[in-house]
Amino acid sequence: MIAALDVSFPAGWFRQCSIIPHSKDVDFGIFIKDFNEDIVMHMLLKGFKLKHRFGKESDSLELSFVLDDIKLDFFFFYEEEGYMWNGGTQARTGKKFKYIFPKFSLCWTEFVGLRVRVPCQTQSYIEANYGLMWDTPVKQWDWKGSPPNVRENGKWDEAELSKVVQVY
């Protein structure tokens, strides 16, 4: 499975060559074609607890793990004809959101002493999620309202809610 630092980390790396100090989690992006269910067991064996699982492999999959004060979010990217997207789910309401990105590939970079993968088309990726003023830090961020690339994407069907909205 190929994972890349997602959303806030490319912004921190590109803008300030560091971790965003007020960020509360680490986001990873994974192409859905690279998804393997073994990731859950692997994370559990490393001591992480599954915090939530939203969506399903065919639509808006998102996994979140915690260990002490470390939170890791895994967002899965789906490829369409002219763009890529990842999903978000509001647990309380079952509302779905879609984050639209221009197509991108992955490149290696060094970040805080580690070799990591980031979108090769970093600036267009960051601009999709933060807008043209991406170089101005934003401390108050609403995941479903602040990004210019977010779109409402319907609501999970009542019959499948217990499978697509799992909070532990």
Side-chain angles (χ1 to χ4, degrees):
M1 181 162 47
I2 300 170
L5 293 175
D6 184 33
V7 187
S8 62
F9 272 82
W13 164 70
F14 203 64
R15 181 176 58 221
Q16 54 208 65
C17 300
S18 184
I19 295 171
I20 296 175
H22 52 270
S23 183
K24 296 180 168 82
D25 59 9
V26 178
D27 295 338
F28 293 92
I30 301 170
F31 298 131
I32 195 63
K33 65 181 178 159
D34 295 327
F35 173 68
N36 185 320
E37 194 66 47
D38 291 345
I39 188 175
V40 175
M41 186 56 64
H42 179 75
M43 296 300 290
L44 295 174
L45 290 172
K46 295 292 181 183
F48 284 86
K49 293 182 174 145
L50 183 59
K51 184 176 192 293
H52 69 247
R53 181 187 184 117
F54 296 152
K56 52 190 176 181
E57 190 171 347
S58 62
D59 185 6
S60 303
L61 184 61
E62 175 187 338
L63 301 171
S64 183
F65 298 90
V66 293
L67 175 65
D68 300 325
D69 61 349
I70 300 168
K71 182 172 177 267
L72 304 179
D73 293 322
F74 293 83
F75 296 97
F76 293 86
F77 281 85
Y78 299 81
E79 191 168 350
E80 300 289 343
E81 180 66 32
Y83 64 95
M84 300 180 91
W85 65 276
N86 68 321
T89 296
Q90 186 176 35
R92 183 177 48 81
T93 64
K95 279 186 177 179
K96 295 167 47 178
F97 299 87
K98 184 182 272 192
Y99 300 82
I100 309 293
F101 292 87
K103 286 195 171 190
F104 62 89
S105 54
L106 299 176
C107 290
W108 288 102
T109 191
E110 188 171 313
F111 183 69
V112 296
L114 299 171
R115 281 185 43 87
V116 296
R117 298 195 114 185
V118 296
C120 298
Q121 302 78 3
T122 307
Q123 188 161 345
S124 62
Y125 178 90
I126 292 170
E127 286 176 354
N129 204 65
Y130 289 99
L132 296 177
M133 300 295 291
W134 61 268
D135 58 341
T136 304
V138 177
K139 293 189 179 179
Q140 296 296 320
W141 187 259
D142 174 26
W143 65 271
K144 61 192 179 312
S146 296
N149 64 337
V150 67
R151 308 287 182 270
E152 288 195 18
N153 192 29
K155 193 173 179 180
W156 290 107
D157 184 81
E158 199 70 34
E160 62 182 344
L161 265 181
S162 65
K163 292 181 181 174
V164 295
V165 177
Q166 298 177 1
V167 180
Y168 303 99

